[in-house]
Amino acid sequence: MTMIDLKRVINGEVEPPACDKTLGIVVISAIAGKATCSWEVDERFLNGHQVVMGGFITSAADIAMAYSMASILEKHQGFASINLQTTFLRPLHLGTTMIESTIVKQGRKTCYVEATISQNEQVIAKITSSIMIL
């Protein structure tokens, strides 16, 4: 199986990974450590309370963070999450959702990345991650 170059996905040269397609995440932009993605939330992501299950929200943020990382790394470099933490501020419902991801601190071996999930201009969740550069 061949790895997918996320920079080529950003440029529209190749199809995104299966996880992006499964969630329906669309990269709007990814440049200089900042990524913006959209997500059309539908019934597949709802839990028994008819709000989006937290694991899907965290996964969506993780995808956006990957594009932030891809936008700054060299061709020979990869990355892997060391940790991932989500704080939920309000429920997420059906509809268009925006994901903003930013590399806050870039070191030689790790980056600290923050993401915000919002819907209807309200913050739904804040996500942080430490990501190792490989």
Side-chain angles (χ1 to χ4, degrees), residues 63-119:
I63 290 169
M65 290 174 166
Y67 286 101
S68 291
M69 291 297 295
S71 75
I72 58 118
L73 296 180
E74 301 296 323
K75 188 169 183 81
H76 68 279
Q77 293 178 307
F79 56 90
S81 298
I82 298 170
N83 70 1
L84 188 62
Q85 180 177 335
T86 304
T87 301
F88 301 101
L89 304 171
R90 61 178 26 98
L92 180 59
H93 300 282
L94 300 175
T96 303
T97 304
M98 298 305 297
I99 311 157
E100 303 278 337
S101 172
T102 304
I103 296 173
V104 175
K105 174 88 170 122
Q106 180 182 351
R108 287 185 312 110
K109 302 221 180 233
T110 60
C111 291
Y112 180 78
V113 187
E114 295 179 342
T116 301
I117 306 271
S118 60
Q119 188 178 59

Side-chain angles (χ1 to χ4, degrees), residues 23-84:
L23 262 76
I25 304 294
V26 176
V27 180
I28 296 169
S29 68
I31 188 166
K34 295 184 180 192
T36 302
C37 301
S38 67
W39 180 26
E40 285 301 323
V41 175
D42 62 36
E43 295 82 8
R44 296 175 297 158
F45 307 112
L46 299 182
N47 64 19
H49 296 285
Q50 298 304 295
V51 296
V52 177
M53 187 179 135
F56 290 122
I57 294 169
T58 302
S59 295
D62 196 28
I63 290 169
M65 290 174 166
Y67 286 101
S68 291
M69 291 297 295
S71 75
I72 58 118
L73 296 180
E74 301 296 323
K75 188 169 183 81
H76 68 279
Q77 293 178 307
F79 56 90
S81 298
I82 298 170
N83 70 1
L84 188 62

Side-chain angles (χ1 to χ4, degrees), residues 13-26:
E13 299 169 17
V14 298
E15 290 288 313
C19 57
D20 298 24
K21 291 180 184 181
T22 298
L23 262 76
I25 304 294
V26 176

